[in-house]
């Protein structure tokens, strides 16, 4: 019975500023305390042995360890209790190192504070109750949202480990942004050569269910047991019958009339299209916003695509389909969007023909792009080219204070490609810093400089047109002189921004967005792939700007986490959850809308609230809102906290 | 109690994920600050029931500090917003109770802001020292 | 054998509780049959000395209504406690301090000054103030002094049971009287009503709650079939013990909380504050400034006066302090 208390010296880390003997003396006086000891290093093996022996001898109802932060060693001492056959939640720690001995100098006052913190821990410990961890079974399947390189990599890794994967991609084809590139920095490998085989693997893998042109509509449930509604948009083309001959697109009445988004509007397509020839799945799609049959109900005498299709694949009656699947884990790999330079009116992006974004310029080099890979802009070969780095990145005025991490390097890559196509081109990069942080990046940057690309330090502050040329104006901050150059082409180093629906998706998934709008990892250093919602992991640019190597690495890590969960077959959940006393709940339904995890369920019949303890993460928001006092939080009960308040105030 | 010898007693409620971690960081960085705050760890600032604040004042606290994650960073998405709203009304209520609302302080401290935590504690300690002991704590009453 | 004795007393009260007893109607005869009413200032002529002359514990049950506002209230409370076996705090004022308890937001001097000098109808040109002794025609009359603060009954004497309400609703009184007559009283200290909240008894339709802004009951688009709180009308029902059969919401008036806090609540006012502020939304909350948050909550006026309408003297902080 009672509380067993251990005060750690942590070598001299604690003992130097806190008079440990004095603490023991004071704590021993507390009526709740059965035994109080001090020891050099509580977390060491002999330290833990000491606790175990005492548990066997004194059978305390709870244990207090006064040492370092519970964020550091709570799990360690829980292990000690478990080994001594004691419930691991009958443990409280007093943080007398990080929050006492390390931050105070006056020994007397540090000791006084330590005593107060230990008393608070004892007061709480005396009221602790054994808690039982919940175990739930795991559905052995995963959902991957987004079919860019991140989603593709995760899906393949998980599928290879033998688990079923649903890969949901919003666009008609997987591939993401990488599919738009010709070469990738810094090695200049051909993007298609490394990406398309993976895309084909996805399509062929027996464990992967590809849901392209589909979106996730609803997610409910929790780790191990998510229920996902996938909405498949109608292509108006039977995937089964379409053989991708393309005859329909050639014949379409709107052929070459619709801006092609895959080429960032640098080319035109038909109303029935594939985004690019290597698309997976390679099936045609009718653009419902443009097709005359769909928008007007009529396309000449008869739709030309239907006439052209010898496979009879076109089906205007196709409807969207909603499918519900069950998965144990989710990988969010929804990638990024490109910054819209129209947000910076001084760049005149939309009014001038010779200003391109980074992704547009990628398409110019692509053999499947608008110019079939020829460096021709508006019918002319540009001779003088300027790049503007940090467009929409590190720019508080447009609300993006962060660095997009790829622009410096893709500018270097594109500058190199310009030189490769037009060796005598005059290429200048206007930059404010060059960030070449990755493996081989600095070397690549040097190489590009050696190839004759001029780097001028100074951001472009104004763009205007004169004599048919684009002029860039600004100040060279190294030379401390203004510049004003007329160029044939200005390429903006447009940054990476979160997708427009990232907040909405965050809510759907019950995961947070950090202040930049990307999804928030559970810990910036130690848990960069997890989210706060158990069972949901992040991969690629959805979590923040990064290059392809980092994207692939994170995607692999996310897959490893998924496989870890799925392979266990069941998972345990921390029992810090909220519990409703149904004898007291008046059914006001106030708590229900407050829960960030939708853990509440109103039992209409009984008129009381119920909380699903697997969904509840124990934040306590509902407990602090129940006006009847009917909700209590395991391990953070009102009575326990009141006891702590009383103890620290010497009550 | 004379002005100089008055050491404010402050109860601090820190959320586990940001502010408590921030306070730990102040420790690992050996940033020194005043020993007047007694920290009680909760999972989220949203766990801090106004009841706790009143209880602390009732028991004689000279000040109450609540620290949580910055807006948008709450580990549970929106707990800190609820705290902000609750404490806004609490401040108005303290005023009606004749208690200086400065005695209740809500701060955002991230896991990376050890120095900021130290600053908040020092600043609050000094402000409360200026205010003097809580009127509930044997301070001045009406008559 | 003589019938057991009972007493009724009113301390700082409005008289409503007395009316509630009379509202028992014919049932009062059962009480009269079973008990001998020895003291009931509002209805029968007895003097304090009659009580002083009783043996300690001679009164079986005392129903005490009204708060402890002046010294006389306190003195008689002690006297009745001494003479009674069972002391029952009857009505919100003796249970929690009641509406007079809001007087604790002012000091005694402020209250007296306001009541005797500042109210538009006082007409007290000479500025006469009440005093505790007064000599008239050679006789000295002692008057009770106003206490510095209002207290509930259990602040001055030990209380056995509480009958909540302002005034206690009939079914609650009937239940209590029946329990008393049948000797079925629960453990000491119990509040003789239900354990659930008013919402449990309120038959308005309750949905998952989301509140925009606080509104007033007289706003024209209030739907009487739906929970008032959901429509932005501050209703104390969720933070209030039931037993009244949700009398007020049933009449489309928000509950003001007279039945006091439910068993696990500890503090009626702050519990409701946390509930209501949790529900009131703020637009674009991440970017919102402190001012915008304050603005969103501005419609909740006089929070202490509203949320502690009946329970201020028994709340954690009890009264106003003076923080220079
Ligand atoms: C101009 C430019 C050049 C670059 N060049 C290089 C380079 O040379 N080398 C290099 O290493 N990196 C380069 N990068 C960075 C590279 O693009 C990224 O690292 C990589 O594409 C990230 O992959 P991802 O899968 O995370 O995101 P994405 O490629 O954006 O893929 C995300 C996928 O998810 C889909 N999606 C989004 N939302 C949803 C939803 N709600 N439901 C279903 N599906 C959804 C999208 O349609 C898309 O297919 C460059 C970036 C830019 C802007
Ligand atoms: S807030 Fe409390 S009383 Fe209301 S429904 Fe939830 S648990 Fe029940
Ligand atoms: S404690 Fe938090 S997570 Fe759990 S039910 Fe309550 S609000 Fe939801
Ligand atoms: S109207 Fe009042 S008492 Fe009725 S359910 Fe709503 S909050 Fe509860
Ligand atoms: S509804 Fe509320 S105010 Fe009305 S009688 Fe019931 S408890 Fe009292
Ligand atoms: S977890 Fe820090 S405020 Fe919610």
């Amino acid at each position: 019975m009672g509380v067993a208390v251990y005060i750690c010296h942590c070598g001299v880390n604690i003992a130097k500023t806190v008079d440990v003997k004095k603490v023991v003396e004071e704590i021993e006086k507390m009526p709740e305390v059965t035994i109080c000891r001090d020891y050099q290093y509580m977390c060491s093996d002999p330290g833990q042995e000491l606790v175990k022996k005492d548990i066997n001898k004194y059978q305390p109802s709870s244990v207090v360890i006064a040492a370092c932060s519970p964020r550091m060693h709570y799990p360690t001492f829980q292990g000690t209790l478990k080994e001594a056959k004691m419930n691991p939640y009958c443990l409280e720690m007093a943080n007398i190192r990080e929050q006492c001995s390390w931050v105070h100098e006056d020994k007397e006052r540090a000791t006084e504070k330590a005593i107060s913190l230990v008393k608070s821990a004892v007061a709480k410990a005396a009221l602790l109750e054994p808690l039982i961890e919940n175990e739930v079974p795991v559905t052995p399947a995963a959902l991957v949202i987004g079919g860019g390189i991140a989603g593709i990599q995760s899906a393949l890794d998980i599928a290879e480990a033998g688990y079923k994967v649903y890969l949901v991609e919003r666009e008609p084809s997987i591939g993401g942004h990488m599919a738009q590139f010709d070469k990738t920095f810094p090695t200049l490998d051909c993007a298609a050569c490394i990406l398309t085989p993976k895309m084909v693997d996805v399509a062929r893998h027996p464990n992967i269910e590809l849901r392209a042109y589909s979106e996730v509509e609803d997610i409910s449930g929790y780790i191990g047991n998510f229920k996902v509604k996938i909405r498949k948009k109608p292509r108006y083309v039977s995937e089964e019958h379409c053989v991708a001959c393309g005859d329909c697109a050639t014949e379409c009445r709107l052929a070459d009339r619709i801006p092609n988004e895959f080429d960032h509007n640098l080319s035109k397509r038909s109303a029935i299209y594939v985004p690019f020839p290597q698309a997976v799945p390679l099936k045609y799609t009718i653009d419902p916003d443009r097709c005359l049959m769909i928008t007007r109900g009529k396309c000449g005498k008869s739709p030309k695509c239907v006439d052209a299709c010898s496979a009879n694949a076109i089906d205007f009656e196709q409807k969207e389909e909603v499918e519900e699947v069950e998965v144990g884990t989710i990988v969010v790999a929804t990638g990024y969007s490109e910054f819209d330079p129209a947000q910076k009116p001084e760049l005149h992006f939309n009014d001038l023909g010779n200003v391109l974004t980074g992704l547009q310029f990628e398409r110019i080099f692509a053999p499947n792009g608008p110019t079939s890979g020829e460096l021709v802009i508006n019918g002319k070969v540009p001779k003088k080219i300027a790049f503007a780095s940090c467009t929409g990145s590190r720019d508080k005025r447009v609300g993006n204070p962060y660095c997009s991490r790829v622009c410096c390097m893709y500018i270097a890559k594109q500058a190199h490609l310009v030189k490769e196509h037009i060796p005598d081109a005059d290429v200048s990069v206007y930059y404010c810093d060059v960030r070449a942080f990755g493996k081989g990046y600095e070397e690549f940057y040097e190489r590009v400089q050696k190839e004759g690309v001029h780097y001028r330090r100074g951001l472009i502050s104004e763009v205007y047109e004169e004599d048919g040329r684009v002029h860039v104006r600004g100040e060279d901050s190294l030379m401390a002189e203004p510049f004003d150059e007329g160029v044939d082409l200005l390429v903006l180093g447009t940054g990476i921004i979160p997708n427009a629906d990232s907040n909405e998706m965050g809510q759907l998934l019950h995961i947070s967005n950090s202040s930049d709008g990307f999804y928030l990892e559970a810990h910036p250093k130690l848990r960069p792939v997890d989210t706060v919602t158990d069972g949901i992991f992040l991969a690629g640019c959805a979590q923040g700007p990064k290059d392809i190597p980092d994207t692939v690495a994170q995607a692999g890590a996310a897959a490893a986490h998924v496989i870890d969960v799925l392979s266990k077959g069941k998972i345990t959940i921390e029992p810090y959850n909220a519990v409703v006393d149904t004898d007291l709940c008046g059914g006001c339904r106030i708590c229900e809308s407050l829960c960030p995890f939708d853990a509440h369920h109103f039992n209409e019949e009984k008129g009381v609230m119920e909380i699903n303890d697997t969904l509840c993460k124990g934040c306590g928001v509902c407990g602090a809102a129940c006006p009847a006092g009917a909700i209590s939080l395991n391990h953070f009960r009102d009575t326990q906290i009141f006891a702590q308040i009383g103890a620290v105030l010497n009550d | 109690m004379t002005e100089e010898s008055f050491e404010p007693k402050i109860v601090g409620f820190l959320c586990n994920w940001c502010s408590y971690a921030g306070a730990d960081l102040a420790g690992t960085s050996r940033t020194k600050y005043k020993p007047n705050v007694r920290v009680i760890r909760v999972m989220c600032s949203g766990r801090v029931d106004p009841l706790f604040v009143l209880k602390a004042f009732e028991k004689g606290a000279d000040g109450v500090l609540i620290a949580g994650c910055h807006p948008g960073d709450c580990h549970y998405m929106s707990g800190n917003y609820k705290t902000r709203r609750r404490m806004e009304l609490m401040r108005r209520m303290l005023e009606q109770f004749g208690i200086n609302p400065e005695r209740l302080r809500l701060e955002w401290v991230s896991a990376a802001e050890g120095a900021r935590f130290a600053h908040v504690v020092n600043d609050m300690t000094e402000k409360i020292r200026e205010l003097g002991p809580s009127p509930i704590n044997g301070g001045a009453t009406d008559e | 054998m003589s019938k057991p004795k009972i007493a009724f007393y009113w301390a700082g009260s409005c008289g409503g509780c007395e009316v509630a007893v009379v509202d028992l109607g014919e049932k009062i005869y059962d009480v009269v049959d079973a008990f001998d009413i020895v003291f009931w200032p509002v209805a029968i002529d007895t003097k304090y000395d009659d009580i002083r002359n009783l043996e300690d514990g001679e009164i079986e049950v005392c129903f005490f209504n009204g708060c402890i506002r002046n010294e006389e209230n306190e003195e008689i409370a002690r006297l009745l406690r001494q003479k009674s076996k069972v002391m029952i705090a009857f009505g919100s004022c003796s249970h929690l301090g009641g509406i007079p308890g809001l007087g604790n937001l002012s000091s005694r001097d402020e209250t007296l000054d306001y009541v005797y000098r500042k109210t538009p109808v006082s007409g007290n040109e000479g500025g006469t103030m009440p005093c505790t002794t007064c000599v008239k025609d050679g006789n000295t009359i002692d008057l009770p002094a106003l206490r510095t603060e209002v207290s509930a009954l259990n602040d001055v004497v030990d209380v056995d049971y509480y009958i909540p309400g302002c005034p206690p609703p009939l079914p609650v009184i009937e239940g209590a009287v029946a329990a008393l007559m049948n000797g079925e009283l629960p453990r000491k200290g119990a509040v003789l009503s239900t354990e659930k909240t008013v919402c449990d008894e309120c038959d308005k339709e309750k949905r998952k709650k989301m509140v925009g802004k606080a509104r007033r009951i007289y706003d024209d688009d209030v739907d009487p079939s739906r929970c008032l709180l959901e429509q932005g009308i501050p209703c104390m029902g969720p933070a209030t013990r039931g037993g009244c059969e949700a009398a007020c919401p049933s009449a489309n008036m928000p509950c003001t909380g007279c039945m006091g806090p439910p068993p696990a609540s500890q503090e009626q006012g702050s519990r409701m504050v946390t509930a209501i502020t949790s529900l009131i939304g703020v637009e674009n909350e991440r970017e919102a400034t402190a001012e915008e948050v304050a603005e969103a909550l501005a419609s909740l006026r006089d929070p202490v006066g509203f949320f502690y309408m009946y329970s201020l003297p028994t709340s954690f902080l009890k009264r106003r302090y003076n923080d220079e």
Side-chain angles (χ1 to χ4, degrees):
Chain A
M1 279 291 92
V3 185
V5 187
Y6 302 86
I7 322 283
C8 184
H9 293 240
C10 195
V12 291
N13 279 304
I14 292 170
K16 201 172 82 183
T17 356
V18 170
D19 181 346
V20 174
K21 292 287 174 215
K22 176 101 193 286
V23 177
V24 175
E25 233 168 74
E26 286 299 314
I27 297 306
E28 271 173 345
K29 291 185 198 152
M30 293 179 77
E32 300 93 328
V33 173
T34 311
I35 171 97
C36 179
R37 297 180 195 276
D38 60 301
Y39 190 72
Q40 277 293 313
Y41 291 103
M42 281 312 301
C43 59
S44 67
D45 272 349
Q48 295 191 49
E49 272 313 310
L50 193 69
V51 179
K52 280 191 250 172
K53 263 201 213 119
D54 283 352
I55 292 177
N56 285 328
K57 184 161 167 208
Y58 298 99
Q59 301 286 320
S61 57
S62 51
V63 171
V64 167
I65 311 269
C68 49
S69 173
R71 290 176 55 89
M72 171 116 180
H73 272 321
Y74 196 81
T76 313
F77 294 112
Q78 276 192 308
T80 318
L81 265 63
K82 265 193 218 164
E83 281 168 31
K85 307 253 174 320
M86 199 174 154
N87 185 289
Y89 293 90
C90 292
L91 169 72
E92 185 62 19
M93 286 186 75
N95 186 345
I96 57 169
R97 191 180 74 174
E98 281 85 342
Q99 297 189 13
C100 189
S101 70
W102 275 352
V103 287
H104 305 313
E105 277 160 331
D106 179 338
K107 194 161 176 180
E108 197 177 314
R109 298 200 58 206
T111 306
E112 186 192 311
K113 176 169 170 179
I115 291 169
S116 165
L117 292 178
V118 182
K119 278 187 175 169
S120 161
V122 172
K124 178 171 176 181
L127 299 173
L128 284 176
E129 294 155 356
L131 300 175
I132 309 296
E133 282 165 355
N134 231 326
E135 263 188 6
V136 292
V138 172
T139 310
L143 167 74
V144 176
I145 311 175
I149 180 63
I152 291 173
Q153 186 65 43
S154 283
L156 286 172
D157 286 355
I158 300 165
E160 271 305 294
Y163 298 101
K164 187 176 201 98
V165 182
Y166 297 91
L167 175 58
V168 177
E169 167 59 54
R170 160 152 68 197
E171 299 298 325
S173 169
I174 56 171
H177 287 102
M178 190 174 167
Q180 296 175 323
F181 308 156
D182 174 36
K183 299 265 168 27
T184 59
F185 63 73
T187 44
L188 299 172
D189 339 24
C190 145
C193 314
I194 49 184
L195 179 65
T196 39
K198 282 188 187 283
M199 291 166 60
V200 173
D201 286 350
V202 165
R204 277 209 298 247
H205 205 293
N207 282 339
I208 298 182
E209 301 266 352
L210 177 55
R211 298 286 182 269
Y213 208 46
S214 300
E215 274 171 56
V216 171
E217 194 171 75
D218 188 44
I219 293 182
S220 60
Y222 41 85
I223 180 167
N225 301 277
F226 292 105
K227 283 197 174 55
V228 184
K229 281 204 182 105
I230 302 172
R231 186 165 49 87
K232 190 165 175 31
K233 298 176 273 191
R235 283 183 196 259
Y236 303 107
V237 173
S238 152
E239 286 195 24
E240 202 184 317
H241 294 126
C242 173
V243 293
C245 63
D247 293 348
C248 52
T250 327
E251 291 303 317
C252 174
R253 276 205 173 77
L254 297 179
D256 294 326
R257 307 251 303 262
I258 300 169
N260 182 352
E261 50 286 271
F262 191 76
D263 283 339
H264 291 274
N265 304 342
L266 295 176
S267 69
K268 298 273 164 63
R269 62 165 168 82
S270 310
I272 185 164
Y273 68 106
V274 280
F276 55 105
Q278 299 78 11
V280 168
L282 190 55
K283 301 292 169 188
Y284 275 72
T285 305
I286 289 180
D287 181 345
D289 297 331
R290 306 307 286 258
C291 165
L292 297 170
M293 272 306 278
I294 293 167
T295 54
R296 301 193 190 154
K298 184 163 179 290
C299 173
K301 279 212 180 63
S302 70
K304 286 197 157 193
C305 53
V306 176
D307 300 343
C309 181
S310 51
N312 277 331
I314 291 159
D315 173 10
F316 286 108
E317 298 305 309
Q318 224 177 48
K319 295 272 167 313
E320 68 172 36
E321 288 164 30
V322 178
E323 159 191 34
E324 189 170 293
V325 302
E326 291 185 11
V327 298
T329 52
I330 298 172
V331 175
V332 183
T334 47
Y336 65 93
S337 297
E338 188 182 31
F339 174 74
D340 176 7
Q343 276 195 52
K344 289 171 74 78
E346 69 275 21
L347 298 177
H348 296 288
F349 171 66
N350 285 330
D351 345 326
L352 303 178
N354 296 349
V355 183
L356 297 183
T357 69
L359 280 174
Q360 283 181 321
F361 205 39
E362 289 291 333
R363 293 307 296 147
I364 297 288
F365 294 110
N368 61 10
T371 57
S372 306
E374 291 305 317
L375 181 38
V376 182
I377 307 295
N378 297 331
K380 282 201 227 114
V381 176
K383 286 287 182 189
K384 189 165 175 185
I385 297 174
F387 287 89
S389 79
C390 291
T391 307
S393 309
R394 306 170 68 199
D395 185 348
K396 292 209 178 82
R397 279 183 309 152
V398 297
N400 300 338
Y402 57 85
C403 163
S404 287
R405 297 185 75 221
V406 294
C407 320
C408 286
M409 292 315 294
Y410 80 62
I411 288 173
K413 167 183 77 176
Q414 292 177 348
H416 162 85
L417 292 176
V418 171
K419 281 286 194 190
E420 202 175 82
H421 281 72
I422 313 161
D424 63 342
D426 173 354
V427 184
S428 307
V429 177
Y430 295 90
Y431 72 101
C432 63
D433 296 292
V434 171
R435 300 194 164 171
F437 53 88
K439 186 167 177 175
Y441 288 13
E442 184 65 22
E443 296 88 323
F444 183 69
Y445 165 47
E446 261 177 44
R447 164 176 167 192
V448 171
Q449 278 176 298
K450 286 213 185 88
E451 284 167 358
V453 174
H454 310 292
Y455 273 78
R456 293 189 75 173
R457 192 164 196 276
L459 286 184
I460 294 168
S461 55
E462 201 195 342
V463 177
Y464 64 99
E465 198 172 34
E466 206 175 271
D467 314 328
R469 289 188 115 192
V470 180
H471 280 253
V472 297
R473 212 170 11 207
E475 188 177 303
D476 185 322
S477 61
L478 283 183
M479 313 299 285
E481 63 182 27
F483 61 79
D484 183 341
E485 301 277 344
V487 296
D488 304 322
L489 173 65
L490 169 63
V491 179
L492 303 174
T494 34
I496 281 179
I497 60 167
N499 291 334
D501 65 351
S502 67
N503 277 318
E504 235 170 274
M505 282 294 287
Q507 276 166 16
L508 185 74
L509 291 156
H510 300 307
I511 62 177
S512 315
N513 303 75
S514 42
S515 52
D516 54 18
F518 295 100
Y519 299 118
L520 183 68
E521 61 283 352
H523 188 281
K525 296 187 184 63
L526 302 178
R527 296 175 67 199
V529 179
D530 308 56
T531 64
V532 292
T533 298
D534 296 333
I536 302 190
F537 305 99
L538 301 173
C541 290
Q543 182 254 346
K546 54 179 70 67
D547 54 24
I548 295 167
D550 284 1
T551 296
V552 172
Q554 198 183 18
H561 280 76
V562 165
I563 294 163
D564 175 49
V565 173
L566 299 186
S567 66
K568 283 192 182 123
K570 59 179 189 213
I571 35 134
T572 48
I573 292 174
E574 272 190 347
Y576 295 153
N577 38 8
V579 182
V580 180
D581 182 339
T582 47
D583 289 341
L584 297 176
C585 167
C588 66
R589 304 188 69 170
I590 284 172
C591 51
E592 199 177 1
S593 61
L594 305 180
C595 178
F597 305 101
D598 284 343
H600 295 237
H601 166 76
F602 188 60
N603 184 327
E604 298 272 357
E605 200 185 312
K606 296 192 184 136
V608 294
M609 196 57 73
E610 288 163 359
I611 293 178
N612 178 323
D613 48 14
T614 324
L615 283 177
C616 169
K617 301 279 170 295
C619 70
V621 163
C622 63
C626 172
I631 300 181
S632 44
L633 265 294
N634 281 345
H635 214 74
F636 293 91
R637 290 176 176 280
D638 287 358
T639 44
Q640 293 164 349
I641 293 176
F642 283 160
Q644 287 185 283
I645 296 173
V648 296
L649 292 167
N650 282 329
D651 180 55
Chain B
M1 235 179 279
T2 63
E3 280 295 306
E4 300 91 89
S5 74
F6 168 56
E7 282 299 342
K9 281 191 278 181
I10 301 171
V11 179
F13 295 98
L14 268 51
C15 88
N16 181 59
W17 303 100
C18 288
S19 306
Y20 196 91
D24 276 355
L25 179 64
T28 34
S29 333
R30 310 295 198 275
T31 311
K32 302 289 183 258
Y33 58 82
K34 302 237 153 56
N36 298 58
V37 176
R38 303 284 186 266
V39 168
I40 294 174
R41 183 175 67 106
V42 286
M43 292 313 271
C44 173
S45 70
R47 173 69 189 106
V48 184
D49 197 318
L51 214 60
F52 301 168
V53 176
L54 295 176
K55 184 52 110 187
F57 281 121
E58 187 204 3
K59 293 282 176 202
D62 299 305
V64 175
L65 167 68
I66 297 162
C69 315
H70 286 269
D73 291 354
C74 170
H75 193 77
Y76 308 95
M77 271 75 86
S78 52
N80 49 1
Y81 300 148
K82 311 221 160 88
T83 314
R84 178 162 64 182
R85 292 185 233 144
R86 291 168 184 164
M87 294 312 146
E88 162 57 26
L89 211 63
M90 280 305 287
R91 255 192 288 272
R92 273 169 54 198
M93 286 185 14
L94 286 180
E95 213 156 349
Q96 285 190 289
F97 277 117
I99 294 165
N100 194 323
E102 302 263 317
R103 294 188 186 274
L104 171 61
R105 191 151 160 176
L106 174 63
E107 291 283 351
W108 309 135
V109 176
S110 83
E113 294 176 330
R116 186 174 145 69
F117 180 75
H119 168 78
V120 164
V121 169
N122 285 338
D123 190 63
M124 181 162 182
T125 306
E126 284 323 309
K127 292 243 162 77
I128 304 275
R129 206 193 298 280
E130 272 165 39
L131 291 178
S134 155
I136 302 167
N137 211 5
T141 63
D142 257 0
E143 267 144 298
Chain C
M1 210 182 88
S2 63
K3 289 188 277 184
K5 299 184 171 63
I6 60 170
F8 293 95
Y9 184 69
W10 56 352
S13 87
C14 68
C17 284
E18 307 287 345
V19 178
V21 176
V22 177
D23 267 352
L24 278 173
E26 282 162 18
K27 292 214 177 72
I28 195 106
Y29 292 121
D30 298 342
V31 179
V32 176
D33 281 345
F35 297 98
D36 181 11
I37 304 177
V38 293
F39 188 54
W40 192 4
V42 79
I44 57 177
D45 186 15
T46 26
K47 300 282 179 260
Y48 289 159
D49 275 342
D50 299 334
I51 302 302
R52 292 195 181 100
N53 291 335
L54 295 175
E55 297 291 318
D56 286 0
E58 195 175 332
I59 300 172
E60 197 63 30
V61 185
C62 172
F63 293 89
F64 191 105
N65 76 68
C67 66
I68 309 300
R69 171 77 268 197
N70 64 29
E71 285 173 350
E72 182 188 16
N73 302 150
E74 187 171 345
E75 182 192 336
I76 303 304
R78 292 188 199 283
L79 175 65
L80 286 166
R81 171 70 275 189
Q82 191 187 340
K83 302 296 176 188
S84 311
K85 281 206 191 78
V86 175
M87 184 65 150
I88 297 184
F90 186 96
S92 304
C93 298
S94 60
H95 173 206
L96 306 163
I99 290 183
L102 290 177
N104 282 358
L105 290 176
S106 315
S107 71
R108 175 176 58 189
D109 289 347
E110 281 164 2
T111 305
L112 287 173
D113 191 48
Y114 187 79
V115 171
Y116 289 92
R117 293 203 179 108
K118 298 219 178 98
T119 47
V121 292
S122 17
N124 179 2
E125 265 134 50
T128 314
M129 292 299 274
C131 51
T132 50
T133 37
C134 150
V135 183
K136 183 101 184 166
D137 305 332
N139 296 320
T140 308
I141 305 171
D142 287 323
L143 289 170
L146 211 60
R147 297 166 87 240
T148 54
E149 65 183 88
V150 177
S151 300
L153 182 60
N154 73 0
D155 262 348
V156 295
V157 300
D158 189 33
V159 174
D160 298 292
Y161 298 103
Y162 303 85
I163 296 179
C166 179
L170 208 50
V172 170
I173 305 179
E174 284 170 1
V177 169
L180 197 67
M181 303 219 292
N182 305 333
E184 288 167 354
L185 283 167
R187 70 180 160 75
K188 187 179 155 153
V191 178
L192 305 177
S193 188
T194 59
E195 306 242 289
K196 289 222 177 189
T197 62
V198 173
C199 294
D200 186 57
E201 297 171 350
C202 173
D203 44 20
K204 295 200 182 301
E205 187 199 337
K206 287 151 243 174
R207 304 188 194 155
K208 188 165 167 171
K209 285 199 172 34
M210 295 280 187
V211 177
K213 234 193 177 147
R215 293 194 301 168
R216 304 276 136 177
I217 189 73
Y218 43 76
D219 287 350
D220 51 8
D221 51 346
V222 175
D223 175 355
S225 68
R226 284 186 55 206
C227 165
L228 300 172
L229 186 59
E230 276 166 37
Q231 302 180 70
I233 294 157
C235 174
M236 287 290 284
T240 303
R241 184 189 292 266
C244 63
E245 294 170 346
C248 302
S250 306
N252 294 325
M253 286 305 288
C255 167
T256 51
C258 76
M259 296 287 281
S265 134
Q266 316 224 29
E267 245 249 354
Q268 200 179 5
S270 62
R271 282 281 190 208
M272 197 59 211
V273 165
T274 144
I276 213 160
T277 49
S278 304
L279 288 176
I280 289 185
V282 173
E283 293 224 4
N284 188 11
E285 204 149 13
R286 174 185 286 184
E287 316 296 339
T289 61
E291 290 71 37
E292 282 160 345
V293 175
E295 169 65 28
L297 299 172
S299 51
L300 293 169
R301 274 173 242 138
D302 184 18
V304 174
F306 183 76
F307 297 115
Y308 292 88
M309 192 178 288
Y310 301 91
S311 65
L312 184 62
T314 41
S315 67
F316 282 178
L317 296 188
K318 294 188 164 53
R319 61 183 177 89
R320 204 189 72 194
Y321 297 83
N322 195 0
D323 200 356
E324 289 306 330

